[in-house]
Amino acid sequence: MPGQRASRAAPPRPDAAGFAVFYEENFDAVLGFVARRTSCPQVAADLTADIFVAALEAAGQYDPERGAPAAWLKGIARNVLFSHYRGNVREQHAVARLNGRRLLDEEDIAVLEERIDAERAARALAERHSALSEPLREVLDLVAVDGLTPREAAQVLGLNQATVRVRLHRAKRALRAERPSVTDRAEHSLEVVS
């Protein structure tokens, strides 16, 4: 019965007419080979087509001394299937890596947005801090960052306490003048002056 078994005698020919005969004689055998290895009809059809495309591309290289056409075609089929499944494994690993990443819910997003806003505010405050004159920045750092009282800062700097209080007031006012919304929050943390 033609078409049921792979051809053992008719080698593939690279011309269209010759390859069409080879295709007809071997189609059922190749489809059966693929169908035994996959359960999806679409995949079976695609792989069978890929096998014959690969065979057509390699038809000029067929060597009858190395084996029968059916064995040559099964070798091509095996290579095409191997490539397909190797690609599937890579795809499954990629999907698994993506699935391993937890999607963010609304609460997570809100927390991240708050953190980003806080970092942005901190960067802006740091920029305004660096724009202060050295004497104002020095007093502000000793009181707000190092936690000293104005009296202790005055002692460290060798200044009188009134000078330190004036510089601290000017530093806070300069920070507030740039951006009230950010400095209001920052000022709360700077409320170490008595």
Side-chain angles (χ1 to χ4, degrees):
M1 208 157 132
Q4 293 299 321
R5 301 190 60 133
S7 168
R8 294 193 187 278
R13 294 194 337 239
D15 62 274
F19 196 81
V21 171
F22 180 76
Y23 174 84
E24 289 294 326
E25 290 176 350
N26 292 283
F27 178 80
D28 287 336
V30 171
L31 182 58
F33 182 84
V34 172
R36 287 188 296 277
R37 289 160 176 81
T38 183
S39 59
C40 177
Q42 290 296 336
V43 171
D46 289 346
L47 289 173
T48 300
D50 290 346
I51 290 164
F52 280 106
V53 167
L56 178 61
E57 290 171 350
Q61 300 167 354
Y62 171 72
D63 181 4
E65 292 180 14
R66 296 190 67 203
W72 174 80
L73 188 57
K74 293 272 175 67
I76 290 174
R78 184 178 166 279
N79 290 338
V80 168
L81 285 168
F82 179 75
S83 293
H84 168 76
Y85 286 116
R86 185 179 55 215
N88 267 0
V89 167
R90 278 193 300 253
E91 183 179 325
Q92 288 170 356
H93 286 298
V95 168
R97 282 193 305 271
L98 288 174
N99 286 339
R101 294 183 181 156
R102 184 173 63 92
L103 296 178
L104 301 176
D105 60 18
E106 290 181 26
E107 185 177 317
D108 293 332
I109 291 171
V111 168
L112 285 173
E113 286 174 342
E114 286 176 20
R115 180 71 182 264
I116 290 168
D117 289 343
E119 294 297 331
R120 185 179 303 125
R123 282 191 304 275
L125 184 59
E127 287 174 13
R128 290 192 309 280
H129 173 270
S130 66
L132 293 173
S133 68
E134 181 63 31
L136 296 182
R137 195 170 49 245
E138 203 171 39
V139 169
L140 183 65
D141 288 350
L142 287 171
V143 174
V145 177
D146 297 325
L148 300 179
T149 65
R151 187 167 62 85
E152 293 168 331
Q155 190 177 11
V156 167
L157 296 172
L159 300 171
N160 68 41
Q161 193 174 347
T163 303
V164 169
R165 287 185 185 274
V166 168
R167 287 182 183 175
L168 184 61
H169 175 72
R170 287 180 181 165
K172 288 171 65 175
R173 188 177 62 202
L175 291 177
R176 226 182 350 260
E178 292 281 334
R179 282 184 99 178
S181 63
V182 173
T183 54
D184 288 346
R185 283 183 266 159
E187 182 183 358
H188 186 304
S189 64
L190 296 176
E191 294 285 334
V192 292
V193 181
S194 59

